[in-house]
């Protein structure tokens, strides 16, 4: 979602457009300015915590806790260097591995399932959708103990692949639901036309459906990546030293260096940056993903 | 019969792997968990016998668990009311037509992608409990603005600490509720407003009697989604206060039980939490699936 989607006048019927224009003209008055100011104030309040975290990460430790707070300073990479010295890289690599691996698994499993649940005509299978979406909302707490015991018994504790499997199970319902909603939006005529031309099921999927839902698959991947990257509960329960991810590192860091604000901020910034970028690109889909399709 | 297989067989094959993954990892493990909760596995050693509902009776008789439930209730009420009220306000704000709406929507939405763990550091700073001379974060801001009476211990307050704990959660998810309401507002046909205006209703009456009733399905979805997230809260508390008694909720209590190898207790806390979430979520899901089937 970009700023371009703000007001699509072309899509609205002429009457509504005229009406909207009339309204806009009527609204150029003090109230309008007030709304604009309010929007900015709210925007700044929302943006401030992350901005502050970002800025603090580039300060010297002494500047991070001055009174009043410092806004103008010479940026330093000292804190980032200090974190890298604390062996941050393995955590980052673990996070990346678990997130990317699980996203690939999820898309590979969810795409055929979503296809079966949307295009292929098996109405009774709609009920299995219930089965899918219900699991997404159940608390992870309810399965963590058995999971831990099983992982311990099969020697998979502290293992990135096992963590990736967990994230796969965690994100699968959302992915099935989202991909299905993209498939349902495909124009029926295109598929019918391809069938008329004698395209087989395989050709139809590969050369017609997949290219058309590619943007949807990309959006779904981004969402799954964000959820996996941010996940903390499974990570802290199932990993120790070998497979621990960035959130686990960060919580340990908060406990051990609680008052080093600049260093902590630098670490948080590194933890947040990948998902802020992914999140900005996939915002609209993030809303759809969390709503399980309740809102398009 | 043969035709039957041919029509649903391929579909079954495509869905089966996903269903298998979820059946094993979700339902199988929930069953396993409930099984543990019925045993006497209170130390690292294997269970010796089934004790029926004893673990649950003990749990509900415990002050500590009731304290955790009370904390969860305080947090949930503040979080829900806050996100719903502010979410609706921001949606109305944007709906009135602010220039650069897409930009503002992005700003309001982006905290959603940032985890509680990552934003926890800055929230620890903002919600620092020191007051007066040593104040930092929000308390410092209040002091500077001459609003000293607003300075408070935030999450360290024994009684209202959990309300302060809901602030970062509100920051994270108000934008999401806003997006839901905004979509709902945009879905209301313009004719409806026109007709009401023709009838000469005031702007207030228009919202009160025409717009808001149309938004109630969206509000219900938002309530359920935010509500179930609230009941599961864990990350936020671990990032801001750590697992301490004062800010304990069922999920963090379960965590401490797990660390002390009291598996039976951990499993029963988990099962209770699951039941609470299910009470909220299952009727909603049934409703959603029925609506979907009708369409």
């Amino acid at each position: 979602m970009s700023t371009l989607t703000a007001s699509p006048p072309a899509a609205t019927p002429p009457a509504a457009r005229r009406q909207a224009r009339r309204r806009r003209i009527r609204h150029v008055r003090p109230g309008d300015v007030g709304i604009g100011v309010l929007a900015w104030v709210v925007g700044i309040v929302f943006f401030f915590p992350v901005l502050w975290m970002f800025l603090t990460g580039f300060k010297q430790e002494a500047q991070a806790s001055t009174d009043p707070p410092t806004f103008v300073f010479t940026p330093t990479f000292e804190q980032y260097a200090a974190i890298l010295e604390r062996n941050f890289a393995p955590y980052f690599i673990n996070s990346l591995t678990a997130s990317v691996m699980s996203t690939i698994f999820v898309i590979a499993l969810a795409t055929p399932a979503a296809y079966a649940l949307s295009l292929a005509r098996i109405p009774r299978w709609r009920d299995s959708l219930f089965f899918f979406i219900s699991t997404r909302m159940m608390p992870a707490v309810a399965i963590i103990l058995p999971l831990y015991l099983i992982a311990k018994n099969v020697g998979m504790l502290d293992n990135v692949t096992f963590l990736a499997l967990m994230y796969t199970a965690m994100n699968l319902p959302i992915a099935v639901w989202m991909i299905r909603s993209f498939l349902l939006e495909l124009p029926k005529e295109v598929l019918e036309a391809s069938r008329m031309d004698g395209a087989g099921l395989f050709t139809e999927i590969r050369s017609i459906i997949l290219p058309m839902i590619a943007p949807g698959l990309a959006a779904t991947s981004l969402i799954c990546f964000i959820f996996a990257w941010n996940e903390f509960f499974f990570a802290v329960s199932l990993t120790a030293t070998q497979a621990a991810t960035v959130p686990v590192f960060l919580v340990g860091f908060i406990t051990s260096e609680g008052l080093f604000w600049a260093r902590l901020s630098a670490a948080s910034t590194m933890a947040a940056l990948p998902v802020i970028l992914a999140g900005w690109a996939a915002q609209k889909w993030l809303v759809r993903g969390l709503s399980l399709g309740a809102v398009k | 019969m043969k035709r039957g297989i041919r029509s649903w067989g391929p579909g079954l094959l495509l869905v089966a792997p996903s269903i298998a993954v979820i059946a094993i990892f979700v339902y199988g493990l929930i069953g396993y968990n409930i099984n543990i909760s019925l045993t006497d596995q209170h130390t690292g050693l294997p269970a010796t016998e089934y004790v029926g509902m004893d673990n649950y009776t003990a749990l509900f008789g415990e002050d500590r668990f009731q304290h955790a439930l009370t904390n969860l209730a305080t947090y949930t009420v503040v979080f829900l009311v806050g996100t719903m009220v502010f979410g609706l306000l921001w949606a109305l704000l944007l709906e009135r037509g602010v220039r650069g709406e897409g930009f503002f929507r992005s700003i309001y939405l982006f905290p959603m992608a940032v985890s509680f763990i990552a934003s926890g550091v800055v929230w620890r700073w903002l919600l620092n409990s020191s007051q007066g001379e040593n104040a930092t974060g929000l308390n410092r801001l209040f002091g500077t603005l001459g609003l000293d009476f607003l300075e408070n211990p935030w999450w360290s307050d024994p009684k209202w600490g959990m309300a302060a704990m809901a602030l970062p959660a509100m920051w994270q998810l108000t934008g999401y509720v806003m997006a839901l309401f905004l979509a709902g507002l945009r879905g209301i046909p313009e004719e409806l407003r026109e007709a009401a205006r023709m009838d000469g209703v005031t702007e207030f009456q228009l919202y009160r009697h025409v717009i808001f009733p149309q938004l109630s399905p969206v509000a219900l979805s938002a309530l359920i989604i935010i509500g179930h997230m609230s009941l599961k809260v864990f990350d936020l508390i671990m990032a801001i206060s750590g697992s301490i008694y004062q800010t304990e909720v069922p999920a963090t209590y379960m965590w401490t039980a797990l660390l002390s190898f009291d598996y039976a207790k951990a499993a029963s806390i988990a099962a209770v939490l699951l039941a609470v979430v299910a009470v909220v979520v299952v009727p909603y899901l049934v409703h959603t699936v029925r609506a979907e089937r009708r369409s």
Side-chain angles (χ1 to χ4, degrees), chain B residues 68-86 160 162-167 169-170 223 226-233 249:
Chain B
L69 287 177
T70 318
N71 272 348
L72 186 64
T74 313
Y75 171 84
T76 300
V77 169
V78 177
F79 181 28
L80 279 183
V81 172
T83 42
M84 294 302 280
V85 169
F86 287 113
W160 296 108
M162 289 311 285
M165 201 59 110
L167 283 181
M170 279 162 59
L223 262 182
I226 298 290
H228 96 280
M229 284 178 185
S230 176
L231 295 174
K232 297 194 288 193
V233 62
V249 293

Side-chain angles (χ1 to χ4, degrees), chain A:
Chain A
M1 176 170 45
S2 69
T3 46
L4 290 174
T5 56
S7 52
T12 45
R17 212 187 314 161
R18 242 193 338 266
Q19 211 262 338
R21 202 182 304 141
R22 217 183 315 138
R23 240 194 332 177
R24 201 160 297 155
I25 292 165
R26 251 196 302 139
H27 269 271
V28 180
R29 54 184 190 187
D32 216 27
V33 177
I35 287 176
V37 170
L38 198 55
W40 274 105
V41 171
V42 176
I44 290 166
V45 169
F46 271 76
F47 198 59
F48 178 78
V50 168
L51 176 72
W52 193 247
M53 172 174 94
F54 183 74
L55 289 179
T56 309
F58 290 101
K59 289 177 182 176
Q60 307 277 2
E61 211 55 74
Q63 292 166 328
S65 41
T66 52
D67 180 23
T70 320
F71 280 93
V72 183
F73 58 93
T74 325
T76 167
F77 283 95
E78 210 175 281
Q79 311 307 337
Y80 285 90
I83 292 161
L84 290 177
E85 251 167 55
R86 299 290 161 103
N87 239 349
F88 177 74
Y91 294 91
F92 199 87
I93 291 168
N94 284 338
S95 266
L96 212 56
T97 315
S99 308
V100 171
M101 207 198 272
S102 71
T103 303
I104 294 171
F105 289 163
V106 165
I107 298 294
L109 282 172
T111 311
Y115 176 78
L117 292 171
S118 60
L119 301 184
R121 276 159 198 74
I122 21 177
R124 200 174 300 167
W125 280 93
R126 274 197 185 178
D127 290 352
S128 59
L129 267 178
F130 172 78
F131 179 79
F132 276 115
I133 56 180
S134 63
T135 57
R136 170 63 202 184
M137 296 179 115
M138 293 301 138
V141 170
I143 58 165
I144 197 67
L145 175 57
L147 210 51
Y148 173 81
L149 294 175
I150 290 171
K152 197 165 82 174
N153 285 338
V154 298
M156 291 289 262
L157 269 186
D158 209 9
N159 180 311
V160 184
T161 311
F162 189 73
L163 200 60
L165 278 178
M166 288 307 99
Y167 293 170
T168 306
M170 173 180 92
N171 283 330
L172 200 51
I174 283 192
V176 170
W177 189 262
M178 279 186 70
I179 297 174
R180 175 176 169 275
S181 76
F182 291 119
L183 286 167
L184 289 178
E185 281 162 16
L186 288 183
K188 292 245 168 0
E189 299 76 35
V190 179
L191 302 176
E192 271 156 23
S194 82
R195 252 172 237 157
M196 292 287 210
D197 293 346
L201 182 67
F202 183 71
T203 327
E204 182 186 305
I205 292 178
R206 202 196 49 190
S207 57
I208 303 191
I209 296 179
L210 279 184
M212 284 181 84
I213 62 162
L217 289 182
T220 311
S221 311
L222 277 176
I223 304 283
C224 292
F225 176 83
I226 292 172
F227 287 145
W229 181 274
N230 282 343
E231 207 285 328
F232 173 65
F233 189 62
F234 285 130
V236 78
S237 314
L238 301 175
T239 68
T241 50
Q242 296 300 310
T245 56
V246 171
V248 179
F249 170 85
L250 209 52
V251 169
F253 210 54
I254 291 175
T255 321
S256 65
E257 333 229 337
L259 291 171
F260 293 93
W261 293 114
R263 197 169 300 165
L264 282 173
S265 299
S268 313
T269 305
M270 284 211 264
L273 210 55
V275 283
I276 289 181
L277 296 179
W280 199 276
Q283 259 175 29
K284 195 165 82 184
W285 314 114
L286 203 53
V287 171
R288 200 195 276 205
L290 277 182
S291 319
L292 299 164
V295 168
K296 299 265 159 79

